[in-house]
Amino acid sequence: MSLKRSLSTVGISGFALSALLVLTVLNIIIQNIPRNIQTAGGELLKLNEKDGVANAVTTVVVYFRGFDTLGEIAVLFIASLGVGLMLHVKCQKDIKRESNFMLQTASRYLFPVILLFGIYIMVYGHLSPGGGFQGGVVIASGVLLLLISHKKFEVPYSVIVTLETLAGVSYVFIGLIGLMVLDTFLGNFIPQDVSQMGMLISGGIIPVIYIIVGIKVGSEMSHIAQNLIQRADYV
Amino acid sequence: MSSVLFVALPLLFGFATPLLSRLGKDAVAYASVAMQLFLLCLSFYLLESVSLHVEIISIAPPLGISFVLNSVSLLFVTVFIFLTTLFSFYCLSHRETGSYENETKFLILLNMLLASSAGLVLSSDIFNIYVFFEIAGISAYILSAYRKTPSALEAGLKYLLTGAVASVFLVFAIVLIYLNIGSLNLAVIAQSFEALPFNVKLLISILLFIGFGFKVEIFPLNFWVTDVYQGSSSLVNALFSGIVAKAYLFVFFHIVYLFLPDGDFSAFLIYLGAVSMLVAEIAGLKQTNLKRLFAYSSLGQVALIFTAFALQNEDAVQGALFIVIAHSFAKLIIFLVLAFIEKEYESIHIDILKELNAPFLRAVLLIAMLSLLGIPLFAGFVGKLLVLKSLAVSGMLGVLVMIVIASLFEAVYYFKLAGYMFSKGERRGALHVGFIQKSVFALLVILLIVIGVAPFILSGFLGEASRVMLDSANYITVILGG
Amino acid sequence: MFDFFNQSEVIKTIVVLGSMALFFVGLFGLLTRKHIIRIFMSIAIMESSVFLLFIGLSFKSDFIAPIIDKTHKNIAIMNDPIPQAMILTAIVIAMAVLALGVSFAIEYYKLTGRTDIDEMKSLRY
Amino acid sequence: MIGFIILVTFASIAVVALSAIMQKKLADSIILFMGVGLGSVVLFFIFKAPDVALTEAVIGSGMSSLIFLMALKHLGERA
């Protein structure tokens, strides 16, 4: 990597000066951004009132731009596969140190609360802020707490794989069903009327997809965390 | 049969593989090849009746994401699927040695790479292009670091670092585009990109150039390419130079044609491409490691395609499409032969060619090199001829001279290699080339010769494809009007 | 005294200057730091600066979050949901790439004991 | 009042980020990096983007800190 330059004072001051210069230029350019341009967001909000859910961001993430989320899930899937490939350690019997008693009891009582909080965020993703990504990672942080505190605790790989695969396959199947029924990939084929806007069962496939995303993100994040922790402890 | 299947099916297969592998590794490998064959038939079926067709995903454009199916994007998708299918067939022949290419993880990454390069080529939404940019990137990082040797990991790290920096600049460009124009659909952006004040247009163009420049392997930003090629295995290099580089090249120029239809910065791009070809070929002269040498040759050919696309006229783009096809086939041959040599002889120094005792491989390698050089009877000739002709017509003699000199340098080190191959030195033990491997090489060589001898088969379709690619006004009306 | 800062012009200037300063701190770290983990940190800082710039410039302080419930029904005064949806995806992608990069660095350190980006010269013989 | 809070938060994030990069010990720079994560969560909250704030809190400062801490535990204290 021939990017490195020696850390002399000339280097720093040269960089600072050029940064200041470019900063002012950028400021002038970004400042005269037109304020009242008619962004696509406005139209989407109107469209959301008709066939979206209460949380407009969830509608955009899952339904209007659902293909980005499918790609996003693929990125996370490949990342957890890569971390597993790199850091998977076959034989690591009793390598983690036994943590003290207080941490164990505290984590044993905290885990159900965190799990419930994660499930709440995931399930109510289309009504209040939150959703699949955030709920999944909250659950993964709960699993992380157990991984740290309990020596013999380990999420069995078969559970992670089955959850991950079922969620991913069902997400693509929902897309294909939408393709068959409405001739648009990821179309919202479950009819839902606007009166149900604030209710839990509203928005057709949107909450279903977000719960699937949550399961997948949760299993993959705990897989990454588990690999990182086991590998680190195997020093 | 919609074009979304090109992305949805490999993703479905990738997601299902961890559970499928419980049935047995062979089942997964055969299922992957079967799925790729199905996609190949689908692409040929669509190739017959290709009309400008917009595939809506979840809601209609300009608010939603949509795939645009025209002859250019379908051509690239067909080439990608054809290359992946041949690659899978070649890997199938390694079944008995149980080497790593048949592990389920490798198959998942291969399919994800196919899905993301197809998505890159088909998508018409700039943030969707960024997502596929990341998927292709992240599967390429893992493929290059797959063998977990120190040099492979170093290659993976360098690839990941440059990829991450490139994606930061690309997100910065997308942010400025949305703030100034208010939409993410390429057609809407293209319409109002002209009306932007010049400094905003310049800033967005610079950020897009840096973002894509790393991946398009253009001169100032391609310092990392040869290290990655040298670190990762030759099989994976075949995928990189065949599929990944072409997908990024097409997306970059698809955006350039849409945003700057009257070619504002095209002079800069043309000279940059010519300079980067010259630098790559000169650097290739003194290489002793075969992988590094062919990495520089890939850089040179990609720079030639870059220059041809930057010329922005129909002849040049038709020539570029010819070179894309010829270069993909030739590089697949070269890197598969290199993988074979690396596996059997465990060394990829130049002198190993002296001891290569496999007349079939030597002949196949020779034909691939001749086609890359542009020798008349082979596929590379037609493309290079069209590009040089359009350069002469548009009066860019300086660039013409640069490209001819670069091709001469390339000829020097290719003939040096040919000399090594056919020198009289003592030979190592005879290499046994499997039947499937021989048929894959034979098919590729036949294609190179057929395109070289009778280019008129493709020139009609490629001419129409280049017209469609350059005709951005029609692209915009189809998306917005349609 | 504080209401001078509340005008939307001033807020936009603060956002632009702040996030660009963060961007150049990240770029500086990227170019001059040698330890591989610090380089990943600089890239993470650059990414978060671009995300802050985007949300900072596309929000209006007197508008409300784009969530419809019983009390907030008027969508005219709701912020634009698209930038939030994009940044939501971009944050998760950036974290995935970061996790992969750190696992590469850990594996590379296990094999060669090197963490300095300049020492990675083995590919240049 | 919002503008002033934004100014203070941005200034503190920039200072914390710069010191995170200039730190000698890796452990200190990781802890300061978590501070940058928290600061950006506060900013996203002020920018009326609750979804993004929750994501940044959970992923940006949650998982990234785990990843860097595990890297720190692994690569030891050198450099």
Side-chain angles (χ1 to χ4, degrees), chain D:
Chain D
M1 192 50 193
I2 290 181
F4 188 69
I5 298 174
I6 294 174
L7 177 71
V8 166
T9 327
F10 255 119
S12 56
I13 288 182
V15 166
V16 166
L18 190 63
S19 66
I21 286 178
M22 306 296 277
Q23 280 300 329
K24 286 289 168 284
K25 281 160 54 70
L26 188 58
D28 303 346
S29 46
I30 289 176
I31 291 164
L32 288 169
F33 176 71
M34 292 181 207
V36 172
L38 285 183
S40 55
V41 169
V42 168
L43 272 173
F44 281 132
F45 186 72
I46 293 172
F47 289 156
K48 302 233 173 13
D51 274 282
V52 182
L54 190 56
T55 312
E56 175 68 21
V58 170
I59 291 176
S61 52
M63 281 304 279
S64 305
S65 322
L66 162 78
I67 290 163
F68 280 127
L69 280 177
M70 285 307 147
L72 169 71
K73 183 171 176 11
H74 220 300
L75 303 187
E77 265 314 316
R78 251 180 355 88

Side-chain angles (χ1 to χ4, degrees), chain A residues 10 15 17 30 89 129 138-139 160 187 193 198 210 218 224 228:
Chain A
V10 169
F15 184 85
L17 269 177
I30 292 177
V89 177
V138 165
I139 292 175
I160 290 182
D193 47 24
Y210 231 180
I224 290 178
L228 277 170

Side-chain angles (χ1 to χ4, degrees), chain B residues 332-349:
Chain B
L332 192 64
I333 293 176
I334 287 175
F335 278 115
L336 289 184
V337 168
L338 222 56
F340 203 86
I341 293 173
E342 189 179 17
K343 211 149 95 76
E344 301 297 329
Y345 292 162
E346 279 90 26
S347 133
I348 36 169
H349 193 272

Side-chain angles (χ1 to χ4, degrees), chain B residues 296-314:
Chain B
Y296 277 114
S297 123
S298 283
L299 280 182
Q301 292 288 328
V302 164
L304 178 62
I305 301 169
F306 187 95
T307 322
F309 272 131
L311 277 164
Q312 231 167 340
N313 60 45
E314 272 171 35

